Amino acid sequence: MMTLIVVAAAALFAAAVWYMSLFMSLTAPMVGMLALSVFVSVLLGCGLFAGAFFSNNSGLDQRVSDAAHVAPSREPNPLALPDSVVFQRRTMEFNGETLPAPLLKDHRTKAGTWALIHVLDGALQYDITDDRRLSASVVLTAGGPPGIVEPTILHHIAPIGPVRFHLEFLRDAEALAPAAMLRTPRPQGQNS
């Protein structure tokens, strides 16, 4: 490849010298400047192509492209719970010392299980990282609305300074209804 570039540069130089000699007599400084301009042009062209090649192979271009393009299948995060959810359970209060480590990493709730993140004191960062949703990062504070955790959607939290919070889990009654309807009662008197 390098040999091809050198041959192309020499051919370009020879063509430039020939073309200029058609219109004027050439001096040594003119030929030297012509050689320097051909060298700089080839160097700049090779540098730009190499930069484009390495940039393409680094993965940075793909990340920029991915960030600029939102897939049509991504939906916005819900702003409210569905009307069909019913209370399931509430966790104990957590703080910086009792915060379970798995909550700091990407995790998800089960299908049909919603959650609310209630901040009682301080602030908590709630990040939604699932590919099926638009990425979101929300700072939850005491007195503000709770964070809504959608079923099966990847997310994580991070305390911002001292914090005290609890989680409330809810089940979607409508999502569970079809599964309950599929269970048929066993006729009396039959054992299996």
Side-chain angles (χ1 to χ4, degrees):
M1 184 65 165
M2 191 63 152
T3 307
L4 183 62
I5 292 171
V6 170
V7 169
L12 181 63
F13 176 71
V17 169
W18 172 77
Y19 183 75
M20 287 185 68
S21 70
L22 294 176
F23 301 102
M24 64 182 84
S25 62
L26 298 176
T27 62
M30 290 176 79
V31 173
M33 288 304 292
L34 187 59
L36 182 63
S37 64
V38 167
F39 175 75
V40 168
S41 296
V42 169
L43 188 65
L44 182 61
C46 289
L48 289 173
F49 275 107
F53 174 77
F54 289 119
S55 175
N56 186 41
N57 288 338
S58 70
L60 293 174
D61 293 340
Q62 187 62 43
R63 286 195 295 245
V64 170
S65 176
D66 290 347
H69 175 73
V70 176
S73 63
R74 289 186 176 190
E75 296 178 20
N77 302 305
L79 299 176
L81 292 170
D83 292 332
S84 59
V85 297
V86 293
F87 176 81
Q88 187 177 11
R89 68 181 178 92
R90 178 188 180 273
T91 66
M92 62 181 258
E93 287 183 10
F94 299 114
N95 60 37
E97 295 174 4
T98 61
L99 173 65
L103 296 181
L104 300 171
K105 299 175 187 170
D106 275 346
H107 63 282
R108 64 184 85 217
T109 59
K110 295 177 185 176
T113 300
W114 291 74
L116 294 175
I117 306 169
H118 295 279
V119 176
L120 306 171
D121 287 317
L124 195 65
Q125 182 171 328
Y126 169 45
D127 294 317
I128 299 169
T129 56
D130 200 285
D131 290 338
R132 296 169 291 167
R133 295 290 178 264
L134 298 174
S135 295
S137 183
V138 180
V139 175
L140 305 173
T141 57
I148 298 175
V149 179
E150 198 176 356
T152 73
I153 298 297
L154 274 177
H155 64 281
H156 63 266
I157 59 171
I160 303 173
V163 67
R164 203 167 52 88
F165 71 98
H166 71 268
L167 305 173
E168 183 180 339
F169 291 97
L170 305 108
R171 292 291 286 175
D172 190 341
E174 285 182 3
L176 298 176
M181 290 171 38
L182 290 176
R183 293 189 200 114
T184 54
R186 188 177 300 149
Q188 290 183 343
Q190 287 187 349
N191 293 330
S192 53

